[in-house]
Amino acid sequence: MSQPIGQPAYVLHSRAYRESSALVDFLTPQGRLRAVLRSARGKAGTLARPFVPLEVEFRGRGELKNVGRMEAAGVSTWLNGEALFSGLYLNELLIRLLPAEDPHPGVFDHYAATLLALAEGRPLEPLLRSFEWRLLDDLGYGFALTTDIHGEPIAPDGLYRLQVDAGLEQVYLLQPGLFNGTELLAMAEADWTAPGALSAAKRLMRQALAVHLGGRPLASRELFRKP
């Protein structure tokens, strides 16, 4: 039998399992994998924490794997304060949205790059909006920001609402939750200096994510509200 091949991974979440093991959700280029980590109170357990780049061998063919070899594969990313909360938010998003064993190497690479940017102290909001957008797009839930659902160019002076399963629809009467064309075009260019672009992007991503989260709130969002 061929030996398992190690692959890059990050721990998304870990919890106690049976007497001395842990049940761990990993992010890998091959998708989100769940595996049992034996002897989790030993050296392996100290590695099984978020934001540590790892190389992991997974054993087993079923949906629940077993962790074979696990080693650190780089410098750990130290996050503090709101950067830490942001990292936990990314982890929860991935656990909730990323199907098990569905390869998304682009999401893995963007996640690793976002962690480094958070550790460097770069502004949080653009990083989070970029990650949310990339995740939705990779999962097939993305939509155009420069054209509406009829293929017409977004008008700078237009008003639009999000039809989650289709895209942006122009409307002509004021109603809650609308976006103006200028904001949408700024988002398309990632021009976060444009007035209102960041706050509009946050509202847009919340609307786009809500249906895929099944109406259940994200626990990590509450961290940002604590004094």
Side-chain angles (χ1 to χ4, degrees):
M1 294 180 63
S2 61
Q3 291 296 313
I5 298 173
Q7 59 180 300
Y10 285 92
V11 169
L12 296 176
H13 185 261
S14 177
R15 64 180 183 272
Y17 181 70
R18 296 182 176 171
E19 289 188 5
S20 61
S21 300
L23 195 61
V24 185
D25 283 292
F26 292 93
L27 177 66
T28 78
Q30 297 305 308
R32 179 175 59 82
L33 304 180
R34 180 166 290 178
V36 176
L37 175 64
R38 312 288 179 186
S39 303
R41 296 174 186 172
K43 179 182 177 182
T46 64
L47 286 176
R49 64 182 193 274
F51 319 129
V52 178
L54 301 169
E55 182 175 294
V56 184
E57 289 179 357
F58 295 98
R59 302 174 185 270
R61 294 174 180 244
E63 189 169 310
L64 183 60
K65 315 290 186 188
N66 286 293
V67 175
R69 179 178 60 85
M70 184 169 72
E71 298 176 355
V75 178
S76 300
T77 304
W78 294 101
L79 302 179
N80 297 291
E82 289 198 341
L84 173 60
F85 300 159
S86 298
L88 296 174
Y89 170 69
L90 300 185
N91 286 4
E92 189 177 7
L93 263 187
L94 290 166
I95 290 171
R96 293 278 297 275
L97 295 182
L98 199 61
E101 300 191 65
D102 187 11
H104 286 281
V107 170
F108 180 88
D109 291 342
H110 195 197
Y111 175 82
T114 303
L115 290 186
L116 289 175
L118 289 171
E120 291 169 358
R122 287 172 53 186
L124 301 180
E125 295 290 334
L127 293 173
L128 296 181
R129 302 297 81 81
S130 174
F131 186 85
E132 291 163 341
W133 178 258
R134 177 61 182 268
L135 180 59
L136 285 170
D137 200 42
D138 268 55
L139 293 177
Y141 304 140
F143 49 89
L145 289 171
T146 56
T147 57
D148 67 14
I149 60 176
H150 303 295
E152 296 295 324
I154 295 294
D157 58 350
L159 290 174
Y160 296 84
R161 66 183 174 191
L162 176 64
Q163 300 280 23
V164 174
D165 59 346
L168 295 160
E169 178 185 26
Q170 188 168 12
V171 297
Y172 300 93
L173 295 174
L174 284 175
Q175 53 190 275
L178 297 183
F179 304 90
N180 68 56
T182 302
E183 294 168 344
L184 295 169
L185 294 172
M187 289 181 219
E189 297 293 327
D191 178 8
W192 306 122
T193 63
L198 265 179
S199 59
K202 186 172 186 175
R203 288 193 297 112
L204 183 66
M205 288 298 95
R206 287 213 171 187
Q207 289 183 24
L209 288 166
V211 66
H212 305 298
L213 292 171
R216 292 189 297 129
L218 290 162
S220 53
R221 281 181 179 160
E222 296 301 315
L223 296 172
F224 290 95
R225 298 175 185 170
K226 295 184 182 298

